[in-house]
Amino acid sequence: MTLARSLPDDATEWWIFLGAFGLYMLGRWFFAWRQARREGDAHPVRAAFAEEEGPDAVDAAPTGGFRSYRQFSGFVAGAVIVTLAAALTDGRLRVALLWVIVPLLIVALSYLDFRQARKARSAA
């Protein structure tokens, strides 16, 4: 258990975590903005920032905190891909692969979350 840590040790790791979270939020806002433009909203930026999932958004399903098996599968597949890329490569190739793969996975997960929220809103 010497490798397990709960929080980053230095500022660089904090910036990486904050950057991943920021990329996720930008992805969600972009997809909401694009949907509002398609629907002909007069103020798509306001619609993107005003997007809410409602009080029943958190649904404890058999998949844990995930609302669908697609979200759960996407998270697990992303974790496996990142683990394989980190384990099977070394040096500059590892850094290059992770700098490409991780942002793509984050945007893909934000798209899955956006689709799930849109489906929940349309059903309500």
Side-chain angles (χ1 to χ4, degrees):
M1 293 306 286
T2 59
L3 295 178
R5 297 182 292 187
S6 61
L7 295 173
D9 290 336
D10 62 356
T12 304
E13 292 176 14
W14 277 108
W15 283 113
I16 291 171
F17 285 131
L18 290 174
F21 178 72
L23 182 61
Y24 173 83
M25 292 305 297
L26 282 173
R28 282 291 299 262
W29 286 329
F30 172 75
F31 295 128
W33 171 77
R34 193 177 75 175
Q35 182 69 28
R37 277 194 62 194
R38 281 187 186 162
E39 293 174 352
D41 196 336
H43 303 285
V45 174
R46 283 188 212 159
F49 283 109
E51 179 186 65
E52 293 183 19
E53 295 180 24
D56 60 342
V58 178
D59 185 19
T63 57
F66 299 98
R67 286 181 228 115
S68 73
Y69 286 102
R70 284 184 180 164
Q71 287 176 317
F72 180 71
S73 300
F75 182 79
V76 170
V80 167
I81 290 170
V82 169
T83 302
L84 286 174
L88 298 177
T89 59
D90 198 19
R92 290 182 181 175
L93 179 61
R94 176 187 292 170
V95 172
L97 278 175
L98 291 179
W99 273 99
V100 170
I101 291 172
V102 170
L104 289 176
L105 289 172
I106 290 171
V107 170
L109 287 175
S110 71
Y111 181 70
L112 283 174
D113 289 346
F114 166 75
R115 284 189 52 199
Q116 187 69 26
R118 183 177 66 186
K119 189 167 87 174
R121 277 193 311 272
S122 67

